[in-house]
Each structure stands twice: as C-alpha cells, then as structure tokens.
Amino acid sequence: MSYSHLNQPLVVAKVHSLVISVLANAITFNKTMSKLNEIYFSFMTHLNSELFYSQPIVAFIYSTNAIVGDDYPENVIWNHDKTQRFITTLSCYKNDIDNERLAFIYQERQNQEKLGHYANNLISHYSRLLFVRIDLKYAQATSHLVNIEDFNCHMRNLRDLIGNKKTCFKHLQGNAWAIEQGESNGGLHCHLLLMYDGAKRQNDWHLAKEVGKKWKMITGGLGGYYSYHDTERKQNYARNGKLGIGMIHQNNAQEVENAVRSALYLTEPNKYEQRLKLWLPNMRTFGHGVYRTKKRRGLPPISK
C-alpha cells in the first residue's frame, strides 16, 4: 500500500500497531519484515519534528534510526538482519511504553472523576436534561484527506460554536468531549456529549442530526457522524435497562445512573489503543463545560 502526505494519521496508526504487536509477540518475523518494508519510508516522509508522538511511535523512531543510520529512507530495505536488530532494539523501550499506558489510565481515571462530578451537578440542578451523544468523525471515503492539524482546527471551531450556544447549541447547559484515534484505521474522531435544558429542548434525534450537519459544515464536507438516537437503538438500550440518553429526569434514579454511565464512556481508562498517536503542542484531548458560572440560575454568587 502506498501512503501520501494526506493520510498521515493512518501511517502513524500502522506503526503504532506494529510496535505493540512486536512487543506482545503477536506477529511473525516475516510479517514484521514485510510491514517494515511497507510503512517505513511512508512514515519517515510524514515525520514532523513539530509534533508529539506516543511512546510506541517514539520507540519506532529510535529503534529504526539506530539501525538505518544515515541512509536515506528511500534506500532502506528491511532484510532479515535489519529486522532482527529492530525487534531486539525495540524491546529496550517496552518499559517506556508500559509507563505511558499506566499514566494514561491514571489520567483517564482523573478525568472520569471530574466528568462524573460535573454531570451529577448538572443533573442535580435541573429537573430534567436532554442528553445527546454523537460521535464526530470523517467519512471513510475522505478520511485520508485529513491530518492532525486539520482535525485540531476543526475541533477548535466546534468548541467555539458550542461556547456561543446558538442554532443547534441553543439552550445547552453542559457539554463534554474526548478525541481519539482508531486503533487499526487511524481514524480521528470525537465523542461528544451535549446536555440541554429539558424544559426548552425535547427532540434528541433531531438535535443529533443538526449537530452532525454542523460538523459536516465545519469540516468542509469531509466530516461524518454516528448518532445514538435512532428509535431502534434507543429501544435496545431501554430493553436492557441501559438507556442513558434522551430525556433524563432528576427524580428517576435509573435514568440518572444510566446517563452518568453514558457520559463516563468518554473517559474510559481501558481505551489506551484508541488514544492519539500524534498531536500538536498544547493540543487538548478532553474537556467539559463549567458548572459554576455567573449565568447558571439558582446558584449562589461566585465570590471574587
């Protein structure tokens, strides 16, 4: 497979997957050699010193550099000897990767605690909230046209629109978002939770559709989305006692429990393989709104 500059996240995801597979002894020697010849040149073409990379990617960079030396990437052929040296050298970075995984789990648990506290505060404050969950991504046919810089720009624009609380974000009382990258296809995506005043907004299916359309506009037509709000899907959740989207009533303990559980999916600690494999300096991967604001009715004044 040939990779162009435009599918940067995919190349990085393939490198990440290769490193994890090698360290777990989950890939044969010949397959490793084949993968190295398939992705090494493309990865080096994409390598950008202004970006940060996950530890598996850093391990790949250091390991291959130690073997290739000053050879130009286009001249490198991964034969039996080079591949064996790569596998041996890569093992030196296993502890760094394990430590990054542990740090990720710790951070996600911290994020979960904050998000749970935020969601519970909002539910306690409003008699009913309309919970809308939607995954914002890129259409499969066009995802190769989006790099990490594009995605970061699209996310900034989305957060600005959410903050303005106009059009499909009108009467929004709370929000949370988390960005991830697909484990195998490298697809960049955002898990988005929106919590509307249930006295002002009722149609969650329509709102999810409108937010999806807004994302398509932000991305110049490259975006796609996945809504959790079609009738059949919600009925399945309800039958299993797990419906945590749509109208959530403060006095319904089961609805509240399900809604908080649905919110906490955004900060699931066991999704290390779906974390970003590359990112820009100061790039945010998770965030939520502020509960204590001057505009939140019924709260005591915020002391200066």
Side-chain angles (χ1 to χ4, degrees), residues 131 237-238 240-245 248 252-264:
F131 272 56
Y237 286 139
N240 295 322
K242 296 181 178 179
L243 182 62
I245 55 176
I248 305 300
N252 188 315
Q254 187 64 62
E255 288 182 1
V256 170
E257 180 182 344
N258 291 343
V260 173
R261 184 185 298 115
S262 176
L264 295 184

Side-chain angles (χ1 to χ4, degrees), residues 126-146:
Y126 295 92
S127 61
R128 61 188 187 275
L129 285 170
L130 190 69
F131 272 56
V132 175
R133 275 276 284 110
I134 180 171
D135 293 344
L136 304 175
K137 52 186 181 176
Y138 294 93
Q140 188 172 356
T142 58
S143 61
H144 65 287
L145 300 175
V146 181

